[in-house]
Amino acid sequence: MSTNTTSRLPAYFLSHGGGPWPYMDGPFRAHFTQLEASLKAIPQELGVKPKAVLMISGHWEERDSFAAMASAKPPMVYDYGGFPAHTYSVVYPAPGDPALAERVRGLIAAAGLPASLDAERGYDHGAFTTMFPMYPDADVPVVQLSMLSNYDPETHLALGRALAPLRDEGVLIVGSGLSYHNLRAFGPGAKSASSQFDAWLQDALLKASPAERSELLRHWSDAPAARQAHPREDHLIPLMVAVGAAESEAATCIYHEPDFMGGVTASSFRFGALPA
């Protein structure tokens, strides 16, 4: 797999599953077979190794500015509970990229949006559970970028637009969340709401024109079962960033599972064409 810093890379919105699943075995891990296969397929479909990954995770938000992780050797953030003891010592040792973090900060600031650097932040599970299946050798630098805690769709679409030039610089932009995220209604209880919202999401992303797509996302809470699917939209907002980074380009569904975790309809999407 060659390194390519000239061909434009697509952007992704990935459903990242639950907890530290890639580091587990047994029945719980078995729930993620299809999701894992979709993540492992991404490097092959890209055909080139990114210079770096810019990761917007549903598990990091800041109130006042978009914060870029600036550490050269990011630590780990074990932001989950109730899992086996060994999952609180796993390490995904991908390097950070302070120069990319500064580039990200500059692009955001140039767009008139608040931006800062965070030298202490580490990889949360929204980042390392997607990166480990994709790049198990941890040989691609990763910079995480926070959301804003206001969850404003247009602001996060604008963030994506500001970051779009990175796609021509060999940087893979990844929004990591979950297309359905209601922790109080997983399993069979999620079947109706998740399928209704996913059907709307498929239409909005795959069938609407680019302008219509962005407008639909600005008003996502009007969608069928929207608030049942996302009582708190932290796991949906990374989608806005990925869409904004490829706002005029076509979307492709790369993962769709109608019975995830026993009843959830879950999906992941790519925005933009694959490198030539």
Side-chain angles (χ1 to χ4, degrees):
M1 186 180 296
S2 63
T3 299
N4 188 312
T5 59
T6 56
S7 296
R8 175 172 294 173
L9 294 177
Y12 286 86
F13 171 71
L14 303 177
S15 288
H16 65 232
W21 65 266
Y23 299 89
M24 297 172 64
D25 295 309
F28 185 75
R29 174 69 174 270
H31 287 296
F32 302 92
T33 300
Q34 291 185 50
L35 177 61
E36 184 170 15
S38 73
L39 294 171
K40 286 182 174 181
I42 289 174
Q44 284 70 41
E45 77 170 16
L46 286 173
V48 296
K49 183 177 288 185
K51 178 182 176 182
V53 170
L54 179 64
M55 175 73 64
I56 301 92
S57 164
H59 291 275
W60 184 19
E61 60 191 59
E62 295 289 344
R63 187 183 68 180
D64 297 322
S65 69
F66 293 111
M69 187 174 73
S71 173
K73 294 183 178 180
M76 300 289 285
V77 177
Y78 304 112
D79 53 342
Y80 41 77
F83 289 94
H86 79 272
T87 64
Y88 298 89
S89 59
V90 298
V91 175
Y92 185 72
D97 188 335
L100 174 58
E102 175 55 34
R103 170 76 171 137
V104 167
R105 188 206 64 77
L107 286 170
I108 298 170
L113 298 169
S116 62
L117 298 176
D118 187 328
E120 306 298 325
R121 177 73 184 188
Y123 297 134
D124 61 53
H125 83 268
F128 65 77
T129 59
T130 51
M131 289 301 300
F132 181 63
M134 290 167 61
Y135 297 104
D137 295 333
D139 55 352
V140 176
V142 181
V143 170
Q144 275 198 245
L145 177 64
S146 76
M147 305 176 291
L148 282 183
S149 58
N150 64 10
Y151 298 148
D152 179 61
E154 176 53 37
T155 301
H156 290 84
L157 286 164
L159 172 64
R161 294 182 203 113
L163 299 172
L166 297 173
R167 297 174 53 212
D168 292 312
E169 300 171 16
V171 177
L172 186 67
I173 298 173
V174 176
S176 175
L178 202 59
S179 59
Y180 171 90
H181 194 252
N182 184 342
L183 296 180
R184 294 186 177 183
F186 250 73
K191 188 170 291 290
S192 177
S194 66
S195 63
Q196 288 182 65
F197 185 74
D198 191 270
W200 176 86
L201 198 60
Q202 298 283 341
D203 284 347
L205 298 180
L206 305 181
K207 297 180 180 179
S209 71
E212 291 169 337
R213 181 173 67 189
S214 295
E215 185 63 14
L216 287 166
L217 290 177
R218 290 184 188 97
H219 302 283
W220 73 270
S221 60
D222 295 332
R227 282 299 178 184
Q228 291 98 314
H230 292 280
R232 188 172 182 266
E233 57 264 44
D234 49 318
H235 278 57
L236 184 66
I237 289 299
L239 168 66
M240 314 299 174
V241 186
V243 169
E247 197 165 26
S248 64
E249 298 171 55
T252 302
C253 183
I254 63 163
Y255 160 72
H256 177 74
E257 187 171 358
D259 200 31
F260 174 62
M261 298 291 288
V264 172
T265 300
S267 298
S268 299
F269 300 90
R270 182 183 76 239
F271 302 95
L274 294 169

